[in-house]
Amino acid sequence: MEKKNKILMGALAVAVIIIALLLGYIIGSKGKKDDTAKQDVTTEASTTDEKTTEKTSEKATENDSEEKTTEADKKDTTEKAKTVEQYACYAKISAGDSWENEGKTVVQYNVDLFNKSKSKISDWEIQVDGFPTDAKVGDSWNGTIKLKDGVLHITAVDYNKDIESKGSVTGIGFQVYFKNKGDASSVSKNPDVYVGGELYTEAMPEKEKPKDVEPSEPPKVEKGTPFENHGKLSLKGTDIVDKNGEKYQLKGISTHGLAWFPEYVNKDAFKTLRDDWGANIIRLAMYTAESGGYCTDGNQTNLKKLVDDGVSYATELGMYVIIDWHILHDTNPLDNQDEAELFFAEMSQKYADYENVIYEICNEPNGGTEWSDVKTYADDIIPIIRKNDKDALIIVGTPTWSQDVDIAAKDPVDNPENVLYAIHFYAATHKDNIRSKLETAHDAGLPIFVSEFSICEASGNGTIDYDSADEWFDLINKLNLSYCGWNLSNKDEASSLIDSGCDKKSGWSEDDLSETGQWLRKTIKN
Ligand code: IDC
């Protein structure tokens, strides 16, 4: 009897241990899975396995809450989008126009592919899932499009097979015919990118943190200067107003590329522009992608020193000053967004206590860059500046070399306080059609800044059109717009303000100025 009991007890103990071990295993592996999912969202996934886990868990969430598009769902999508962007190579898809045709719903899509990795890629393929199996592809451009079993495959056409490091293929477009209205809603917003047949999973290096810089103490401001009289500026409707709430107009000059004409960043030059021309603002144009650009082969330390010097001189002279992130060849501000984030974090920390500094966050988006991309960029950069500088004026560039203010007016940035939008014109090229964009946007209540213009052709050279220039200025003055004329240099081109035969770096006489220079001086003075 005794022995039997002992055996029974022993068996029971073994069973308890086995159950405990099993439970432990189940709990443990569940915990592990949750951790992986969490990690996928917050840090870069580095192996194919991790990405698969992430996809499965995402699909599960999608199915669970099919009907409810709650805040949580939205968050889930943005978090996924972030994860996708952490891959060195990623694609973005956006649905554009949609219409009915022969009983089908046609949706037009745009896809952009970015290669942020350190190497050139070729043999790429983008896959987008979630298409109904009965959907059909219509017209397409800039890509070879195939739809098979609900997955859309995009491969290169002959001219866009190779994508350089930091390069992109933008403007891939196609139309899809859906049998039922609403079928398009299942299309994935996060395409997968394959390179050489492999899912591209090379992780981006972790984002660099902005350098902590000491806020600079503003220098003493000269008496009787524009800044002393008008102080901190802000927006009231579409108008810039001064510290007393009175309408104010900024009138001034843009430097040429800081890297190319650094000698004009000197205090006497700015003083001449203030005292002899009547300018109250200087724009410091720092190219990001041309030769010597901040994000290409430029010396960042030297460029930042030029910005610093420019800001100091302008501030001592009681002038306002724009720090211009001069994108041009880098057509889409998203291309160098990481650098822009670091730059504006640093600048806004440094100049947090200056009340005369204005930030222009992307000179001229172009090359088909859509407003939605510029807005995405602006909605990321503006909060970075605002963290340090709560109320400085900020200027946002607009598509088509800062002409499409009418498009921006339909969908302004998320935090519009003290934000203006750039319109740029070159009077001999841009006439009524751009002026009417300006009026449309202004009528819609959009605050606008003419942060760059000249009176010659869009090349910055060619003939001057004084009549068109007059029409522009009638409108500028009627709408109380602020402006900066391009460019402070003696380069042999029509837009340069100093005559190409003049070597003086300040104290110019009328004869030292180019035709454009003479015109602009007169215009500002009046
Ligand atoms: C031009 C300069 C020219 C320089 C060129 C570089 O005038 O000397 O070689 O850039 O690409 C803009 C741009 C501005 C251009 C200017 C004239 O913002 O950088 O400057 N322009 O082409 N938009 C419309 C015209």
Side-chain angles (χ1 to χ4, degrees):
M1 198 61 190
E2 275 274 284
K3 206 179 167 192
K4 229 182 174 181
N5 264 347
K6 261 193 188 156
I7 292 170
L8 251 171
M9 292 279 279
L12 211 77
V14 169
V16 166
I17 288 167
I18 289 173
I19 289 170
L21 277 175
L22 265 172
L23 267 173
Y25 175 76
I26 290 168
I27 291 169
S29 63
K30 186 168 179 289
K32 236 188 194 159
K33 213 169 172 188
D34 285 347
D35 280 354
T36 326
K38 245 185 257 156
Q39 200 201 342
D40 278 340
V41 178
T42 47
T43 68
E44 65 260 21
S46 51
T47 67
T48 316
D49 269 348
E50 275 176 22
K51 191 156 188 221
T52 319
T53 318
E54 172 202 2
K55 282 211 110 173
T56 342
S57 67
E58 215 236 352
K59 284 254 164 64
T61 338
E62 260 172 24
N63 292 339
D64 286 351
S65 50
E66 200 91 276
E67 303 309 329
K68 321 168 239 158
T69 32
T70 58
E71 276 311 303
D73 284 342
K74 267 192 231 148
K75 198 164 156 246
D76 200 60
T77 329
T78 48
E79 272 175 355
K80 175 73 199 301
K82 262 193 211 148
T83 318
V84 171
E85 293 200 9
Q86 278 161 349
Y87 292 88
C89 193
Y90 61 91
K92 285 190 171 178
I93 184 167
S94 57
D97 287 348
S98 151
W99 62 93
E100 299 299 315
N101 187 357
E102 291 173 4
K104 301 227 161 139
T105 302
V106 191
V107 180
Q108 185 158 307
Y109 289 93
N110 182 73
V111 172
D112 298 329
L113 172 58
F114 301 91
N115 174 18
K116 301 244 170 170
S117 75
K118 292 202 167 66
S119 39
K120 174 166 123 182
I121 62 164
S122 3
D123 190 16
W124 53 265
E125 178 179 339
I126 303 167
Q127 291 189 11
V128 190
D129 50 18
F131 284 89
T133 45
D134 55 7
K136 297 244 157 9
V137 176
D139 287 350
S140 65
W141 47 96
N142 299 332
T144 309
I145 318 289
K146 293 214 172 74
L147 186 52
K148 202 169 165 250
D149 301 331
V151 180
L152 188 109
H153 301 255
I154 307 171
T155 47
V157 283
D158 50 3
Y159 54 83
N160 60 18
K161 283 200 171 69
D162 297 331
I163 314 178
E164 297 299 329
S165 160
K166 307 270 168 137
S168 60
V169 168
T170 55
I172 301 169
F174 54 91
Q175 297 170 349
V176 177
Y177 287 70
F178 293 96
K179 202 162 162 204
N180 303 303
K181 217 179 179 153
D183 275 358
S185 63
S186 60
V187 173
S188 166
K189 293 189 175 58
N190 297 303
D192 286 325
V193 178
Y194 290 78
V195 176
E198 298 273 331
L199 186 59
Y200 199 97
T201 52
E202 183 194 323
M204 284 274 275
E206 238 188 82
K207 264 199 178 175
E208 224 180 296
K209 292 226 172 62
K211 249 213 294 207
D212 241 332
V213 291
E214 281 288 308
S216 151
E217 196 172 320
K220 260 216 161 87
V221 178
E222 275 181 29
K223 297 265 172 246
T225 57
F227 180 74
E228 222 224 350
N229 295 333
H230 298 279
K232 185 159 151 183
L233 306 178
S234 60
L235 275 180
K236 199 178 197 176
T238 56
D239 287 306
I240 292 181
V241 295
D242 69 5
K243 64 180 177 189
N244 306 313
E246 312 266 346
K247 277 195 199 182
Y248 191 56
Q249 188 181 27
L250 292 166
K251 305 192 275 187
I253 279 99
S254 176
T255 66
H256 202 294
L258 291 180
W260 299 329
F261 292 94
E263 61 274 23
Y264 290 91
V265 180
N266 73 77
K267 195 170 169 184
D268 283 341
F270 293 5
K271 190 167 163 22
T272 306
L273 296 173
R274 184 193 68 181
D275 296 346
D276 184 48
W277 297 42
N280 52 19
I281 184 164
I282 300 287
R283 175 187 192 234
L284 303 169
M286 189 185 72
Y287 281 91
T288 49
E290 342 294 290
S291 90
Y294 190 86
C295 305
T296 47
D297 57 341
N299 181 321
Q300 296 196 344
T301 312
N302 291 353
L303 287 166
K304 279 192 283 199
K305 173 82 169 57
L306 283 163
V307 172
D308 275 357
D309 289 346
V311 170
S312 305
Y313 303 145
T315 309
E316 290 163 18
L317 292 163
M319 301 172 84
Y320 296 86
V321 60
I322 298 177
I323 300 177
D324 163 37
W325 184 254
H326 201 86
I327 70 161
L328 192 60
H329 281 190
D330 43 348
T331 55
N332 189 323
L334 295 174
D335 285 4
N336 286 314
Q337 175 165 338
D338 289 352
E339 288 281 12
E341 287 181 7
L342 295 175
F343 179 76
F344 284 109
E346 199 177 318
M347 291 299 123
S348 58
Q349 198 172 15
K350 189 173 215 164
Y351 299 120
D353 298 333
Y354 287 55
E355 294 182 336
N356 62 329
V357 172
I358 299 171
Y359 304 93
E360 182 167 2
I361 64 175
C362 53
N363 169 50
E364 290 184 353
N366 63 86
T369 296
E370 308 225 4
W371 170 246
S372 56
D373 276 4
V374 183
K375 182 173 142 59
T376 301
Y377 168 82
D379 287 338
D380 283 345
I381 300 291
I382 291 169
I384 290 174
I385 297 175
R386 288 289 176 245
K387 195 174 152 224
N388 302 314
D389 201 332
K390 297 275 172 279
D391 41 21
L393 297 181
I394 295 176
I395 306 170
V396 181
T398 54
T400 323
W401 297 281
S402 285
Q403 293 164 20
D404 295 341
V405 280
D406 53 333
I407 296 176
K410 291 187 192 141
D411 186 18
V413 298
D414 289 348
N415 297 297
E417 295 79 23
N418 289 335
V419 172
L420 298 114
Y421 298 78
I423 193 163
H424 292 176
F425 69 84
Y426 283 73
T429 306
H430 307 122
K431 302 187 179 174
D432 280 344
N433 56 332
I434 316 294
R435 285 191 283 265
S436 93
K437 279 172 174 284
L438 167 56
E439 293 203 88
T440 306
H442 188 268
D443 286 351
L446 199 76
I448 296 165
F449 199 124
V450 184
S451 51
E452 186 188 301
F453 79 96
S454 189
I455 56 176
C456 59
E457 294 165 20
S459 60
N461 210 346
T463 51
I464 291 175
D465 187 334
Y466 290 106
D467 290 341
S468 172
D470 285 345
E471 283 194 51
W472 272 106
F473 268 77
D474 286 347
L475 194 55
I476 283 175
N477 291 327
K478 184 176 107 186
L479 305 179
N480 184 42
L481 303 186
S482 294
Y483 61 84
C484 289
W486 181 259
N487 68 74
L488 181 59
S489 83
N490 68 345
K491 185 169 174 175
D492 190 10
E493 60 179 4
S495 59
S496 301
L497 300 168
I498 312 302
D499 189 89
S500 59
C502 169
D503 285 336
K504 288 195 219 163
K505 301 300 177 289
S506 64
W508 308 282
S509 68
E510 180 87 5
D511 285 348
D512 293 331
L513 306 181
S514 67
E515 272 183 66
T516 306
Q518 295 181 9
W519 179 90
L520 184 59
R521 177 169 169 270
K522 225 179 288 151
T523 302
I524 295 178
K525 262 183 178 302
N526 294 333

